[in-house]
Amino acid sequence: MYINNPASYTDYYELTMAQGYFLSGKHQKSAGFDYFFRKIPFKGGYVIFAGLNELIETIQNFSFSEEEIEYLRKENFKKEFLDYLQDFQFKGNIYSVKEGEIVFPTEPILRVEGNLLETQLIETLLLNILNFQSLIATKAARIKLAAGEGPIVLDFGLRRSQGLGGIHATRAAMIGGFDGTSNVYSAQRFDVPAGGTMAHSWIQSYDSELDAFQTYAKYYPDDTTLLVDTYDTLGCGVPNAIKVAKELEENGHKMKAIRLDSGDLAYFSKQSRKQLDDAGLGYVKIAASNQLDERVIHSLRTQNAPIDIFGVGTRLVTGHTTPALDGVYKLNSVDGTPKLKISENIEKITLPGNKKIFRYCNDDGTFYGDAILFDQEKTIERMHHPTFPAKKSDVTSREFEDLLQPVIKNGRIVSNLPEVKEIAKYAKQRLNLLQPEYKRLENPHIYKVGISTNLMEKRDALLKLFKS
Amino acid sequence: MYINNPASYTDYYELTMAQGYFLSGKHQKSAGFDYFFRKIPFKGGYVIFAGLNELIETIQNFSFSEEEIEYLRKENFKKEFLDYLQDFQFKGNIYSVKEGEIVFPTEPILRVEGNLLETQLIETLLLNILNFQSLIATKAARIKLAAGEGPIVLDFGLRRSQGLGGIHATRAAMIGGFDGTSNVYSAQRFDVPAGGTMAHSWIQSYDSELDAFQTYAKYYPDDTTLLVDTYDTLGCGVPNAIKVAKELEENGHKMKAIRLDSGDLAYFSKQSRKQLDDAGLGYVKIAASNQLDERVIHSLRTQNAPIDIFGVGTRLVTGHTTPALDGVYKLNSVDGTPKLKISENIEKITLPGNKKIFRYCNDDGTFYGDAILFDQEKTIERMHHPTFPAKKSDVTSREFEDLLQPVIKNGRIVSNLPEVKEIAKYAKQRLNLLQPEYKRLENPHIYKVGISTNLMEKRDALLKLFKS
């Protein structure tokens, strides 16, 4: 489970509102909420949805502990409400796109139905889980795409992750396409590969760099990656590594790699590659780390830096440049009546009613565009740009997928919870169906997301009601 | 405790190195490590050190579970090493500045002594805890300073925090000077004030805004903050809030505040203030939220926006613009021999040996500058700029404080663990002793941090050794 006390892992106002609904007898009214985001992070073209498994497991086990009730009592919550919370369980329904799905702004990625109290109460927990893991899965996918098909990308971020956020940063990085992690805790918990060899301190603790290298190679002859920049990369680091590789060869082993952690990585990787190749060590790989992200890796690739393994830390696990996905959770209906939020900012106006997403395909199976429509709509003929209705597309003849599927029904999990590896495989498969223009680092093409005619008309009618 | 399985909450290489030290019989050698950072985040002038309590509690209870040993066995770690880990406890010493202390780049804020294996093994855990909480405490202090003495600042960040990082983001925000939080979990765990009232969904769930306001006021007559921007802030939001405030007055209550969450906060706060004042509701406060940070708040203050309560979320808890403190943990000595790391980047060269920090004061008690010196030095006459030795200051006649104090001796906690409220008080007191130029938002003055003559000479001698 995500956290042992999910009920108090929340914003205080969820509880004051819940009590308000309860005391006014309104808590049993049915309600629907949508989870969606408004802006793609990193100036990118897509988001990978992640965190679903933790969310649904946690919601299925959502309850208030004695200690939490006690705390709320001291905070002056009313006895009758606390009695209600004592037996509280989430009994609603959740529909969601698959974990690992490629998603876009304004789409109701996940929909919650239930009574007003229970659907409100899970808001903060839901946002906390989904916003962060989707952010990092997206960042990881960008980095993996920048690195290309050959090189391996590894998560080295735990030391700079935002506290315990490191646990799920690693999970999300693996979903986004990373090949492994240094994070032992998460590797164990999520069954993904962990690895790592030495820090500078290992080298420093010996009287000589060569001694440090030789000792390491002695104990890890088949998994030796030597860190070569402690004193002088090209002057002694790589030459000492070559000496050790030759000694390993004599004993029938092959050194795995050297690692560069400072200096100009393009220059040093080329010079190191040359030294290694000249010594007949073409099989020894080059790993690089130090403030890497998708842009630095892209630049290294365009310079033909011969790097085989990228260790990415801080900028991966903190979602560097956009440290949060702006996902929100908005009421779409009460007792079947569609609801709308207007707001002073136009982009904060919401879409009313219970909705779903159809994804339309091109003839080659790649994604054409997505439509948001009412749940009861069977098919639609065209979709409209959400804010410029004159812009529309005919989708009559296209194949489509219905992306939202039930994951919780009446409080019980009804979907399978795939392993992280499975989710990663799905994300990769879906990314392959997204055309390259949407995956560009600079100014990616904007993926088409439209709304159905019915949805547009309903929204506009509700807007008019408030204006009059 | 910070995490239930601290031993595996680590980078894999800590374990491969530990096994290497163990198998080569070198693990009992004594070693010293320093925790320090190189760059102040947010282009700021200072950092507030936070996270110490969690770190020392966790280290005192640091051990390997059966499950963790089993995992390492499957990862091919050796039996004799795993037997050693089974009984592993940290038995070393830790010296640290107080939690809440104001600290600066290159200072050995925290020093760990012990055997090579144990001092190495805690690296990742230590960095994970200290880097993040220091980052957020610093961000919070900047925000609080920007808000000034009058207004209240509240943490609203949980929904956008980096996963479980939200737990300690709140703790750190309180240390940095925040007045309260929406995060119920952390409020309970760290004994700090929590609060909150309503979301837009509360308003939307009623047929009319007035009805929503009246119902809330009925159940929370003494703690009513009404969110006024769901439909039309000045057209109906504030007028409806005024109506409710008047009804509350009739029943002997006073409405607490209105909250603005969108639009131009300077404009809307002034217009709302006017409407409230014209209605004789000068006591009703104005709360504002929506992508706030120290720069936005500073701008609102210079525009005289009459905001009494700032709710700060995403940009606080993610450390917006600098989502990680670059703190590192570097070996300073083995068996009493000072050690140095050179690196290809000059700024990554470390300071050798066991060190401490003296903080020198001005006559009025404000901070003058800090010196880093060897632990065995009693006093020093001058300190030198770490990289421009010609720049030096005479400190002979100044009063000073010795900032590093023992917190763990032979594995046992020897300092008290103050409550978060106490730490916050200390941080505030220390911030008051830092002159305003260092606290400026734009281009703060650079605080003087020097090194002793002995330390400089030792470092330079070691550097020469490697160059020859």
Side-chain angles (χ1 to χ4, degrees):
Chain A
M1 204 157 89
Y2 185 69
I3 188 164
N4 283 331
N5 299 91
S8 65
Y9 193 68
T10 192
D11 287 314
Y12 200 90
Y13 76 4
E14 313 290 6
L15 294 160
T16 53
M17 285 190 282
Q19 176 169 267
Y21 291 139
F22 178 82
L23 295 176
S24 62
K26 198 179 156 179
H27 59 295
Q28 293 294 4
K29 277 181 189 281
S30 72
F33 278 85
D34 297 318
Y35 170 69
F36 64 95
F37 62 89
R38 297 186 177 112
K39 212 172 152 186
I40 298 178
F42 320 120
K43 298 183 182 166
Y46 60 92
V47 160
I48 297 190
F49 174 65
L52 181 64
N53 279 5
E54 264 86 30
L55 177 69
I56 63 185
E57 277 180 326
T58 309
I59 285 179
Q60 175 161 292
N61 295 293
F62 191 102
S63 66
F64 286 82
S65 69
E66 205 38 67
E67 196 189 351
E68 287 169 307
I69 299 282
E70 228 10 79
Y71 174 81
L72 295 177
R73 200 184 312 277
K74 283 186 195 133
E75 291 283 313
N76 293 318
F77 282 83
K78 302 256 184 293
K79 188 182 175 307
E80 56 269 43
F81 176 59
L82 296 177
D83 290 346
Y84 176 83
L85 290 188
Q86 207 121 31
D87 302 319
F88 179 84
Q89 285 186 310
F90 179 86
K91 296 280 192 193
N93 307 324
I94 301 184
Y95 301 82
S96 175
V97 306
K98 279 191 189 166
E99 188 163 4
E101 188 58 270
I102 318 298
V103 291
F104 302 94
T106 73
E107 295 182 346
I109 302 165
L110 183 144
R111 196 177 85 221
V112 180
E113 299 171 352
N115 72 44
L116 193 50
L117 193 153
E118 68 190 353
T119 52
Q120 183 69 63
L121 213 46
I122 62 171
E123 176 183 30
T124 307
L125 176 72
L126 179 150
L127 291 173
N128 179 270
I129 295 176
L130 301 181
N131 281 338
F132 180 54
Q133 292 193 49
S134 300
L135 179 81
I136 303 303
T138 305
K139 183 73 172 178
R142 291 169 60 79
I143 294 170
K144 179 71 181 173
L145 282 172
E149 275 305 309
I152 279 175
V153 288
L154 302 174
D155 155 35
F156 285 0
L158 186 57
R159 62 191 51 205
R160 301 272 174 83
S161 66
Q162 297 210 336
L164 296 170
I167 297 172
H168 293 93
T170 295
R171 179 181 188 277
M174 298 303 296
I175 289 173
F178 266 53
D179 299 292
T181 182
S182 68
N183 178 341
V184 179
Y185 181 95
S186 300
Q188 196 177 341
R189 176 153 166 187
F190 302 115
D191 189 23
V192 297
T197 57
M198 65 176 64
H200 292 106
S201 53
W202 173 273
I203 322 276
Q204 289 171 267
S205 78
Y206 288 82
D207 289 334
S208 81
E209 188 182 54
L210 183 61
D211 192 8
F213 284 1
Q214 284 169 328
T215 309
Y216 198 89
K218 179 178 162 193
Y219 295 113
Y220 302 99
D222 298 310
D223 190 20
T224 296
T225 293
L226 299 173
L227 184 57
V228 293
D229 71 335
T230 308
Y231 304 118
D232 180 355
T233 303
L234 302 173
C236 62
V238 180
N240 281 331
I242 288 172
K243 217 171 281 179
V244 173
K246 290 292 176 189
E247 291 166 6
L248 278 168
E249 275 186 359
E250 280 167 28
N251 296 301
H253 299 288
K254 283 191 165 180
M255 197 169 94
K256 198 166 155 190
I258 60 164
R259 177 159 75 96
L260 304 166
D261 188 41
S262 60
D264 189 287
L265 296 175
Y267 173 76
F268 283 106
S269 63
K270 285 177 191 177
Q271 296 298 318
S272 305
R273 185 72 271 161
K274 195 174 169 332
Q275 288 192 19
L276 290 166
D277 289 350
D278 288 350
L281 296 168
Y283 62 83
V284 174
K285 293 192 185 329
I286 296 180
S289 48
N290 196 19
Q291 296 300 311
L292 297 179
D293 62 15
E294 65 272 42
R295 290 179 203 279
V296 177
I297 290 174
H298 177 77
S299 160
L300 288 167
R301 298 276 296 166
T302 57
Q303 295 171 77
N304 296 312
I307 297 169
D308 309 287
I309 300 161
F310 292 101
V312 190
T314 315
R315 293 184 179 189
L316 164 68
V317 298
T318 63
H320 182 73
T321 75
T322 315
L325 177 69
D326 72 356
V328 293
Y329 182 77
K330 293 292 171 190
L331 186 70
N332 66 38
S333 59
V334 173
D335 264 351
T337 308
K339 293 285 183 175
L340 190 72
K341 181 195 155 209
I342 301 183
S343 169
E344 297 296 341
N345 302 58
I346 289 172
E347 71 278 11
K348 285 190 166 184
I349 295 174
T350 61
L351 293 169
N354 260 358
K355 298 169 295 293
K356 60 186 173 186
I357 311 167
F358 280 178
R359 174 156 296 168
Y360 294 93
C361 299
N362 296 311
D363 290 341
D364 61 1
T366 57
F367 303 156
Y368 164 77
D370 296 357
I372 307 168
L373 60 167
F374 283 122
D375 192 38
Q376 63 269 28
E377 296 190 82
K378 290 274 177 279
T379 59
I380 57 172
E381 290 177 5
R382 62 186 62 82
M383 59 186 198
H384 306 262
H385 188 286
T387 44
F388 301 102
K391 241 188 128 176
K392 56 192 171 194
S393 310
D394 190 306
V395 292
T396 330
S397 62
R398 292 185 181 271
E399 297 282 312
F400 64 85
E401 297 169 88
D402 187 349
L403 295 188
L404 288 181
Q405 299 299 326
V407 292
I408 287 191
K409 278 276 197 189
N410 303 317
R412 309 313 300 171
I413 298 177
V414 294
S415 69
N416 68 336
L417 301 180
E419 297 290 305
V420 169
K421 287 171 193 166
E422 285 303 305
I423 300 167
K425 205 180 287 176
Y426 182 71
K428 189 178 175 181
Q429 193 183 312
R430 300 298 276 183
L431 261 182
N432 284 337
L433 295 175
L434 185 66
Q435 290 177 324
E437 305 82 63
Y438 305 110
K439 294 186 276 196
R440 260 198 318 251
L441 279 187
E442 300 302 332
N443 295 322
H445 191 35
I446 296 166
Y447 185 82
K448 222 186 283 295
V449 176
I451 59 179
S452 71
T453 311
N454 282 334
L455 181 53
M456 184 179 69
E457 287 172 354
K458 183 71 198 176
R459 181 196 63 185
D460 295 348
L462 282 172
L463 271 171
K464 249 184 215 149
L465 264 184
F466 285 108
K467 275 183 190 146
S468 60
Chain B
M1 204 157 87
Y2 184 69
I3 187 163
N4 284 332
N5 299 90
S8 65
Y9 193 68
T10 190
D11 287 314
Y12 200 89
Y13 77 4
E14 312 290 6
L15 293 160
T16 54
M17 286 191 282
Q19 175 168 268
Y21 290 139
F22 178 81
L23 296 175
S24 62
K26 200 177 152 180
H27 59 295
Q28 294 294 4
K29 278 181 189 280
S30 72
F33 278 86
D34 296 318
Y35 170 68
F36 63 96
F37 63 89
R38 297 187 176 111
K39 213 173 152 187
I40 299 178
F42 320 121
K43 299 184 181 165
Y46 61 91
V47 161
I48 297 189
F49 174 66
L52 182 64
N53 279 5
E54 265 87 30
L55 177 69
I56 62 185
E57 275 180 327
T58 309
I59 285 179
Q60 174 162 293
N61 295 294
F62 190 103
S63 66
F64 286 82
S65 69
E66 205 39 66
E67 197 190 350
E68 287 169 306
I69 299 283
E70 227 12 79
Y71 174 81
L72 295 176
R73 200 185 312 279
K74 283 186 195 134
E75 290 283 313
N76 293 317
F77 283 82
K78 303 257 185 291
K79 187 182 177 308
E80 56 269 43
F81 175 59
L82 296 177
D83 289 347
Y84 176 83
L85 290 188
Q86 207 121 32
D87 302 319
F88 178 84
Q89 286 186 310
F90 180 85
K91 296 281 192 192
N93 306 323
I94 300 184
Y95 301 82
S96 176
V97 307
K98 280 191 187 164
E99 187 162 4
E101 187 58 270
I102 316 299
V103 291
F104 302 94
T106 74
E107 296 183 345
I109 301 165
L110 182 144
R111 196 175 87 222
V112 180
E113 299 172 351
N115 72 43
L116 193 50
L117 193 153
E118 68 191 352
T119 52
Q120 182 68 63
L121 213 47
I122 62 171
E123 176 184 29
T124 308
L125 175 73
L126 179 150
L127 291 173
N128 179 270
I129 296 176
L130 300 181
N131 281 340
F132 180 54
Q133 292 193 49
S134 300
L135 179 81
I136 303 304
T138 305
K139 184 72 173 179
R142 291 169 59 79
I143 294 169
K144 178 71 182 175
L145 282 172
E149 276 304 309
I152 280 176
V153 288
L154 302 175
D155 155 36
F156 283 1
L158 185 58
R159 62 189 52 206
R160 301 272 174 83
S161 66
Q162 297 210 336
L164 296 170
I167 297 172
H168 292 93
T170 295
R171 179 181 188 274
M174 297 303 296
I175 288 174
F178 266 54
D179 299 291
T181 182
S182 67
N183 177 342
V184 179
Y185 181 94
S186 299
Q188 196 176 342
R189 177 155 164 185
F190 303 115
D191 189 23
V192 296
T197 57
M198 65 176 64
H200 293 106
S201 52
W202 173 273
I203 320 279
Q204 289 170 268
S205 77
Y206 287 83
D207 289 333
S208 80
E209 188 181 52
L210 183 61
D211 192 7
F213 285 0
Q214 284 170 328
T215 310
Y216 197 89
K218 178 178 164 194
Y219 295 112
Y220 303 98
D222 298 309
D223 189 21
T224 297
T225 294
L226 299 173
L227 184 57
V228 293
D229 71 336
T230 307
Y231 304 118
D232 180 355
T233 304
L234 303 173
C236 63
V238 181
N240 280 332
I242 287 171
K243 216 171 280 178
V244 173
K246 291 290 175 189
E247 290 167 5
L248 278 169
E249 275 185 358
E250 282 167 26
N251 295 301
H253 300 286
K254 282 190 167 181
M255 196 169 92
K256 197 167 155 190
I258 61 165
R259 177 158 77 95
L260 305 166
D261 188 41
S262 60
D264 189 287
L265 296 176
Y267 173 77
F268 282 106
S269 63
K270 286 177 189 176
Q271 297 299 318
S272 304
R273 184 75 270 160
K274 195 174 170 332
Q275 288 192 19
L276 289 167
D277 289 349
D278 288 350
L281 296 169
Y283 62 84
V284 174
K285 293 191 186 327
I286 297 180
S289 48
N290 195 20
Q291 297 299 312
L292 296 180
D293 62 16
E294 65 272 42
R295 290 179 203 280
V296 177
I297 290 174
H298 177 78
S299 159
L300 288 167
R301 298 276 294 168
T302 56
Q303 295 170 79
N304 296 313
I307 297 169
D308 308 287
I309 300 161
F310 292 101
V312 189
T314 314
R315 294 185 178 189
L316 164 69
V317 298
T318 64
H320 182 73
T321 76
T322 315
L325 177 70
D326 72 357
V328 292
Y329 181 76
K330 293 293 172 189
L331 185 70
N332 65 38
S333 59
V334 173
D335 265 351
T337 308
K339 293 285 183 176
L340 190 72
K341 181 194 154 210
I342 300 185
S343 167
E344 298 295 341
N345 302 58
I346 289 172
E347 70 279 9
K348 283 190 165 186
I349 295 174
T350 61
L351 293 171
N354 260 358
K355 298 168 295 295
K356 61 185 173 187
I357 311 167
F358 280 179
R359 173 156 296 168
Y360 294 94
C361 298
N362 296 310
D363 290 342
D364 61 359
T366 58
F367 303 155
Y368 164 76
D370 295 358
I372 306 167
L373 61 165
F374 282 123
D375 193 38
Q376 63 270 28
E377 294 190 83
K378 291 274 176 278
T379 59
I380 56 171
E381 288 177 3
R382 64 186 62 81
M383 61 185 196
H384 306 261
H385 188 284
T387 43
F388 301 103
K391 242 190 126 175
K392 56 193 172 193
S393 309
D394 190 307
V395 291
T396 330
S397 61
R398 291 185 182 272
E399 297 282 312
F400 65 85
E401 296 170 88
D402 186 350
L403 294 188
L404 288 181
Q405 298 298 329
V407 291
I408 286 191
K409 279 277 198 187
N410 304 317
R412 308 313 300 169
I413 298 176
V414 293
S415 69
N416 68 336
L417 300 181
E419 297 290 306
V420 168
K421 286 172 195 166
E422 285 303 306
I423 301 168
K425 206 180 286 177
Y426 182 71
K428 189 177 177 183
Q429 192 183 313
R430 300 297 276 183
L431 261 182
N432 284 338
L433 294 175
L434 185 67
Q435 289 176 325
E437 304 82 62
Y438 305 109
K439 293 185 277 197
R440 258 198 320 249
L441 278 188
E442 299 303 332
N443 296 321
H445 191 33
I446 296 166
Y447 185 81
K448 219 187 284 296
V449 176
I451 60 178
S452 71
T453 311
N454 282 335
L455 181 54
M456 183 179 67
E457 287 172 354
K458 183 69 195 174
R459 180 195 63 184
D460 294 349
L462 282 172
L463 271 172
K464 251 185 214 151
L465 264 184
F466 285 107
K467 275 183 189 149
S468 60

